[in-house]
């Protein structure tokens, strides 16, 4: 890789990873400010097609970069010092607008940083701006954003997936070196799959949710979207760990995720649950996943078909638990303390009603209605309590599987990127996009999506899951696959 100092062309950025940018920065072949300017220019050139940013924070990015250069020049840099990134716009950033792509928070400027934002800031990483999402992270196409639809860089007539569509599209279009997303039912992995990049949902509790605007608190988890598996491990190294401000944060040591990444997968036992290959899966996607399993086998893994019969209940369980938690979490938007406020009301109740009527979009209202219904007295036992019981069984089914298998492999999404507007009027079709990703959230286990092939010019992701806190196995398997294939090198023509 060669970057002509101060004169980077767009193809240089397309080949850049965190790993090689680190080398360029540390060997003073480029400064963080130069790198940042190159990305800002790239954003300027591509944003009218991609629409992945809600906010580009140019001035603070330049300041971050100048500070990073001071650290680098004095030899006190970290792994992410000077590295330009994006954050999904449901991660609070002190002094920078954080909207959740909702009218409700259109002008909300948080007075504090999310745990992850603060960690990256302390490392001297450079925040380029905030990534678009489905409003409050509810959706699978990013079309539920109150502001704009993000486009898939591989075909701008198609969706990037969601809800982290902005983060996935911006990494795919090389507008940043990495982004952080959130995943409640697939929102990191599904868009990563549709945009041809690497997306990791860590174990529930591995990364602090402090400052992540809550959707469904027992399912939400923050994770990296990157160009490569190694970059994913590098970012996780820097955002994982205990945080006393998140009561569900796990107080267990964080391994160095790079340590075993290149140890190979000889003798690894990989289970392939047959329930993830049933009706609704695109035959082109299925073929690519089956070919990928062959690659893993050639690398020395033992592949066996297994059965996880409770999988078929995961979507139903999710659509009780997630809306229930959302309905409670979203009561705080009442127009009183912060956010959008309907100001022409005659009295307090009308003020709250109209604030919510005009501040929330249709999908968010649908979830609030579903959740309120499921939690109402008389229905609680039949819906919420029952869903919690089935959740425990699903978790147990995975625990049992990981007694015998190191990882499980399956498709991330049943199809490739669909057309804009194709599924907007059919919520059930939209919800079915997450049928393969939701089980990992229900069980709280880590899961990754990596580029595994192209179907009619559109990327296909291979998903893998591991037992709780076994991210290392996911990295090890994914890295071996990535080394053996070139799919991650295919970049959109944008
Ligand atoms: N698409 C799923 C939903 O709409 C998952 C979203 C997410 O993971 N944030 O709820």
């Amino acid at each position: 890789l060669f970057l002509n100092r101060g004169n980077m062309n767009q193809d240089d950025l397309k080949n850049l990873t965190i790993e090689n940018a680190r080398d360029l920065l540390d060997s003073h072949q480029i400064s963080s400010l130069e790198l940042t300017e190159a990305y800002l220019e790239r954003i300027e050139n591509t944003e009218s097609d991609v629409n992945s940013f809600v906010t580009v924070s140019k001035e603070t990015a330049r300041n971050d970069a100048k500070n990073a250069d001071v650290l680098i020049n004095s030899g006190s840099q970290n792994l992410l010092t000077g590295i330009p990134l994006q954050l999904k716009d449901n991660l609070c950033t002190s002094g920078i607008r954080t909207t959740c792509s909702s009218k409700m928070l259109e002008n909300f400027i948080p007075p504090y940083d999310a745990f992850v934002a603060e960690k990256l800031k302390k490392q001297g990483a450079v925040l380029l701006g905030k990534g678009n999402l489905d409003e409050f992270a509810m959706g699978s196409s990013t079309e539920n954003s109150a502001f704009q639809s993000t486009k898939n860089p591989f075909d701008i007539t198609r969706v990037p997936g969601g809800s982290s569509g902005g983060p996935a599209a911006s990494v795919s279009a090389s507008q940043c070196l990495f982004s952080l997303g959130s995943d409640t039912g697939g929102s990191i992995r599904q868009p990563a799959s549709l945009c041809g990049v690497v997306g990791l949902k860590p174990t529930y509790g591995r990364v602090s949710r402090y400052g992540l605007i809550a959707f469904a608190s027992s399912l939400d988890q923050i994770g990296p979207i990157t160009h490569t598996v190694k970059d994913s491990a590098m970012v996780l190294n820097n955002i994982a760990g205990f945080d006393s401000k998140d009561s569900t944060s796990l107080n267990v040591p964080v391994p160095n995720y790079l340590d075993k990444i290149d140890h190979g997968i000889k003798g690894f036992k990989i289970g392939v649950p047959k329930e993830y290959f049933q009706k609704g899966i695109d035959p082109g996607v299925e073929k690519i996943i089956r070919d990928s399993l062959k690659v893993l086998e050639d690398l020395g893994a033992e592949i066996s078909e297994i059965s996880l019969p409770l999988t078929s209940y995961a979507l139903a369980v999710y659509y009780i638990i997630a809306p229930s938690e959302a309905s409670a979490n979203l009561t705080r938007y009442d127009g009183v303390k912060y956010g959008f406020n309907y100001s022409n009301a005659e009295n307090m109740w009308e003020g709250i009603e109209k604030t919510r009527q005009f501040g929330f979009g249709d999908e968010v209202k649908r979830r609030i209605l579903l959740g309120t219904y499921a939690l109402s007295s008389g229905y609680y036992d039949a819906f919420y309590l029952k869903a919690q019981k089935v959740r425990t069984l699903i978790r147990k089914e995975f625990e049992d599987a990981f007694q015998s298998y190191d990882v499980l492999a399956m498709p991330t999404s049943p199809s490739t990127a669909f057309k804009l507007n194709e599924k907007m009027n059919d919520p059930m079709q939209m919800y079915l996009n997450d049928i393969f990703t939701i089980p990992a959230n229900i069980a709280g286990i880590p899961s990754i999506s990596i580029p595994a092939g192209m179907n009619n010019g559109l990327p296909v992701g291979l998903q893998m899951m591991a037992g709780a806190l076994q991210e290392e196995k996911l990295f090890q398997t994914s890295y071996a696959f990535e080394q053996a294939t070139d799919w991650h090198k295919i970049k959109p023509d944008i």
Side-chain angles (χ1 to χ4, degrees), residues 344-415:
N344 290 332
E346 309 239 311
N347 58 50
M348 183 188 76
W349 293 115
E350 191 195 347
I352 295 176
E353 261 173 44
K354 291 267 166 63
T355 293
R356 291 167 72 79
Q357 179 182 343
F358 297 118
F360 289 136
D362 287 350
E363 185 59 31
V364 173
K365 287 181 196 162
R366 186 177 292 126
R367 305 288 176 107
I368 292 173
L369 288 171
L370 278 171
T372 307
Y373 183 80
L375 291 176
S376 348
S377 91
Y379 294 109
Y380 180 90
D381 289 3
F383 294 114
Y384 187 74
L385 193 64
K386 196 177 215 173
Q388 290 291 15
K389 288 180 178 166
V390 181
R391 179 180 194 172
T392 303
L393 295 175
I394 292 174
R395 185 191 295 256
K396 177 96 182 35
E397 186 170 85
F398 275 110
E399 272 168 16
D400 289 347
F402 291 119
Q403 297 291 319
S404 315
Y405 298 95
D406 295 292
V407 298
L408 305 180
M410 65 279 276
T412 307
S413 183
S415 70

Side-chain angles (χ1 to χ4, degrees), residues 137-140 163 183-187 215 318-319 367 434:
M138 298 173 188
S140 308
S163 65
D183 191 313
T184 306
S187 278
F215 165 9
Y318 176 85
Y319 275 98
R367 305 288 176 107
D434 302 303

Side-chain angles (χ1 to χ4, degrees), residues 174-433:
S174 302
Q175 296 177 324
C176 57
L177 276 167
F178 75 96
S179 186
L180 295 186
S182 64
D183 191 313
T184 306
S187 278
I188 289 175
R189 291 159 288 154
Q190 183 257 14
S193 169
L194 271 46
C195 290
V197 292
V198 176
L200 172 79
K201 181 200 91 71
T203 305
Y204 182 77
R206 177 78 292 187
V207 178
S208 167
R209 291 180 293 112
Y210 178 74
L212 164 66
I213 296 176
F215 165 9
S217 309
S218 78
L219 301 159
D220 297 343
Q221 184 55 203
I222 298 167
I225 296 183
T226 55
H227 294 287
T228 65
V229 174
K230 215 177 217 180
D231 281 5
S232 184
M234 285 182 181
V235 176
L236 188 62
N237 271 344
N238 286 281
I239 60 170
F242 178 65
D243 173 20
S244 59
K245 295 208 223 48
D246 171 0
S247 64
T248 60
S249 162
L250 296 170
N251 198 353
V252 286
V254 181
N256 180 344
Y257 291 108
L258 294 169
D259 278 353
K260 293 193 198 148
I261 200 165
D262 57 0
H263 283 196
I265 53 167
K266 269 213 173 63
F268 257 46
K269 293 199 165 56
I270 299 184
V272 181
K274 65 173 197 254
E275 287 78 9
Y276 289 75
F277 291 85
Q278 286 171 5
K279 61 176 184 311
I281 181 171
D282 178 330
V285 170
E286 173 161 4
K287 173 160 193 320
I288 286 169
I289 301 305
R290 301 246 179 239
D291 290 348
S292 308
L293 297 174
K294 187 85 194 37
V295 172
L296 294 170
E297 191 164 33
D298 291 344
L299 289 165
E302 287 168 32
I303 312 280
S304 331
E305 184 177 276
I306 65 163
S307 174
L308 298 174
L310 294 177
T311 301
S312 60
Y313 299 106
L315 193 70
V317 164
Y318 176 85
Y319 275 98
I320 297 291
I321 293 176
S324 295
E325 293 182 11
S327 71
N329 275 327
L330 271 58
T331 53
R332 69 191 69 172
Y333 305 103
D334 55 9
V336 177
K337 293 179 281 298
Y338 54 83
F340 173 74
N341 157 28
Y342 179 82
S343 51
N344 290 332
E346 309 239 311
N347 58 50
M348 183 188 76
W349 293 115
E350 191 195 347
I352 295 176
E353 261 173 44
K354 291 267 166 63
T355 293
R356 291 167 72 79
Q357 179 182 343
F358 297 118
F360 289 136
D362 287 350
E363 185 59 31
V364 173
K365 287 181 196 162
R366 186 177 292 126
R367 305 288 176 107
I368 292 173
L369 288 171
L370 278 171
T372 307
Y373 183 80
L375 291 176
S376 348
S377 91
Y379 294 109
Y380 180 90
D381 289 3
F383 294 114
Y384 187 74
L385 193 64
K386 196 177 215 173
Q388 290 291 15
K389 288 180 178 166
V390 181
R391 179 180 194 172
T392 303
L393 295 175
I394 292 174
R395 185 191 295 256
K396 177 96 182 35
E397 186 170 85
F398 275 110
E399 272 168 16
D400 289 347
F402 291 119
Q403 297 291 319
S404 315
Y405 298 95
D406 295 292
V407 298
L408 305 180
M410 65 279 276
T412 307
S413 183
S415 70
T416 51
F418 46 93
K419 290 269 185 191
L420 287 150
N421 283 321
E422 192 180 316
K423 300 189 179 177
M424 270 307 268
N425 296 320
D426 190 345
M428 192 59 200
Q429 278 308 312
M430 196 67 99
Y431 297 172
L432 281 167
N433 264 284

